[in-house]
Amino acid sequence: MILLLSLVIVFSVIAFFPTFSDAQSEPKTFVTHSGAVVKTSGEILDPLYTSATVEFDPMEYLRDFNYGQISQLEDGTTLREFTIIANDDKIMEVSPGIFYNVWTFNGTVPGPTIRATEGDIVRIKFINNGEKEHTMHFHGIHPAGMDGVFEPVGGNGGQFFYEFEAGPVGVHPYHCHVMPLEEHIVHGLYGVFIVDPKEGRAPADEMVMVLNGLDTDFDTENNFYAANTIPFYYQHHPIQISTDELIRVYVVNMVEFDPINNLHLHGNLYKYYPTGTDVVPSFYTDMITLSQTERGIMEFEYQYPGKYLFHAHKVEFSEKGWIGIFMVNENKKGVESEGYGS
Ligand SMILES: [Cu+2]
């Protein structure tokens, strides 16, 4: 009798509380500016999926740096040439069952991580294959005409060449700067621009984390949050790193609508370089708080192997997807992990 009663309770719970892998219901229909009809089911809770079910692979994006086509000018200066193509009519399954009209640079949200050394000439052939006007506005130092604000580039093949000297050293966002700005950013037209010091930085396992969110039901509130677009991805697919190895994370906050975001690391503290412009860290902490487009460089090493969370300490954000895991593996070859926390 007790067994029967237990089974009834279990099945009742399952019936009333759907599993976490299901998107919440109440789908809404949305017509894009080009007439495509999409449905979104809004907020989600901890979906289970693999890179095969999500088009954009956050693990690949994490360590993917685009150094451009490299050549030398007559005076010996390094020229780095990039081609960036904007689009605004792509429907992407940003999480299982959640289809969203992403606006992309080179097909992804975030766009490619562009990387140069201070003093290099960066030349970007910008092609707008979207339907709306778009630009590329780089944070950093450059001439007014290269600022991507007053030179909107028309859609359907419009072009513009951005050219400037890379600087200052640091990690900077780039994003479209066409009004209404909030709309262009929240749909995904942003990326990261890293300027390395001429003398370089210490060797490290380097990665990029763009903290972002998506308003999938168009009520000017984010429905979920992430590091690198796909909610919960690094929780289900922990980032593999090694003990006693320097980890360097370029962090950029691109969340709209919410005034702050933050990043807390478990079982460790990191040296933090705001904007990455100084070679001396400003903080040694396990927690930073970032406003829109604030960014910096985190550096840390793990002493003990095992599984460690990193996430927004704004708990709402972590519970809506901005959470991940570092899987710290023993660095000594041939020595078995002692299984801390594994
Ligand atoms: Cu735009």
Side-chain angles (χ1 to χ4, degrees):
M1 185 62 194
I2 290 173
L3 179 64
L4 186 63
L5 193 61
S6 301
L7 284 172
V8 168
I9 290 171
V10 166
F11 282 115
S12 302
V13 167
I14 290 172
F16 282 101
F17 297 95
T19 63
F20 280 171
S21 62
D22 290 337
Q24 287 186 354
S25 53
E26 298 181 24
K28 294 181 181 179
T29 302
F30 167 70
V31 182
T32 69
H33 56 82
S34 62
V37 178
V38 295
K39 280 190 176 179
T40 174
S41 46
E43 294 189 12
I44 52 157
L45 289 172
D46 199 357
L48 294 169
Y49 46 79
T50 68
S51 58
T53 54
V54 176
E55 183 183 340
F56 171 72
D57 183 354
M59 202 57 80
E60 190 183 318
Y61 176 82
L62 189 70
R63 295 182 174 100
D64 189 17
F65 301 100
N66 187 338
Y67 291 89
Q69 186 84 30
I70 302 170
S71 61
Q72 306 291 325
L73 297 175
E74 278 183 12
D75 65 359
T77 305
T78 298
L79 171 68
R80 294 180 190 269
E81 294 177 276
F82 303 84
T83 299
I84 303 289
I85 301 171
N87 225 315
D88 55 30
D89 197 28
K90 182 172 181 173
I91 306 300
M92 190 171 95
E93 191 171 13
V94 290
S95 195
I98 311 290
F99 292 87
Y100 187 69
N101 173 213
V102 286
W103 299 4
T104 59
F105 287 130
N106 286 3
T108 59
V109 177
T113 299
I114 295 169
R115 194 157 181 175
T117 300
E118 189 176 35
D120 292 350
I121 298 299
V122 174
R123 183 181 293 161
I124 293 173
K125 181 180 185 179
F126 176 62
I127 303 169
N128 181 5
N129 281 345
E131 302 208 349
K132 293 173 178 282
E133 293 180 330
H134 299 298
T135 65
M136 292 186 79
H137 163 66
F138 284 82
H139 288 219
I141 299 170
H142 47 247
M146 294 292 131
D147 202 37
V149 175
F150 302 112
E151 310 79 21
V153 181
N156 302 308
Q159 292 191 12
F160 192 88
F161 279 89
Y162 295 97
E163 186 168 318
F164 51 86
E165 187 180 320
V169 164
V171 50
H172 310 293
Y174 68 83
H175 58 86
C176 176
H177 213 299
V178 168
M179 298 294 282
L181 187 53
E182 203 171 61
E183 182 185 28
H184 287 245
I185 290 179
V186 82
H187 274 268
L189 285 171
Y190 48 78
V192 176
F193 174 44
I194 295 172
V195 181
D196 292 313
K198 283 178 181 164
E199 62 277 19
R201 296 183 190 270
D205 181 359
E206 297 197 322
M207 49 194 84
V208 174
M209 289 189 194
V210 178
L211 310 183
N212 56 0
L214 292 176
D215 169 22
T216 53
D217 60 4
F218 319 107
D219 63 355
T220 68
E221 285 185 19
N222 291 304
N223 293 79
F224 56 81
Y225 300 85
N228 300 337
T229 306
I230 308 295
F232 300 104
Y233 195 85
Y234 299 122
Q235 177 172 284
H236 294 301
H237 309 272
I239 298 169
Q240 304 291 322
I241 60 174
S242 299
T243 55
D244 302 321
E245 184 175 24
L246 181 62
I247 309 298
R248 180 176 298 124
V249 185
Y250 298 90
V251 184
V252 180
N253 177 39
M254 291 307 297
V255 161
E256 277 302 324
F257 306 129
D258 299 282
I260 61 130
N261 200 340
N262 47 37
L263 197 160
H264 167 51
L265 184 65
H266 279 226
N268 214 340
L269 278 77
Y270 46 87
K271 292 175 182 166
Y272 186 67
Y273 307 76
T275 316
T277 49
D278 203 337
V279 293
V280 180
S282 300
F283 305 105
Y284 184 51
T285 181
D286 60 8
M287 171 74 192
I288 49 167
T289 295
L290 303 161
S291 181
Q292 278 81 15
T293 69
E294 269 198 274
R295 69 282 188 183
I297 300 175
M298 299 165 49
E299 287 183 345
F300 55 92
E301 292 181 15
Y302 271 98
Q303 188 178 350
Y304 306 111
K307 224 166 28 173
Y308 297 94
L309 281 178
F310 61 93
H311 61 91
H313 223 300
K314 167 71 174 148
V315 176
E316 178 199 356
F317 296 0
S318 57
E319 290 182 347
K320 289 180 177 175
W322 168 192
I323 186 166
I325 291 172
F326 282 116
M327 178 59 78
V328 184
N329 302 296
E330 179 64 61
N331 204 1
K332 294 171 191 165
K333 281 177 185 151
V335 177
E336 287 293 317
S337 163
E338 292 178 26
Y340 294 95
S342 59

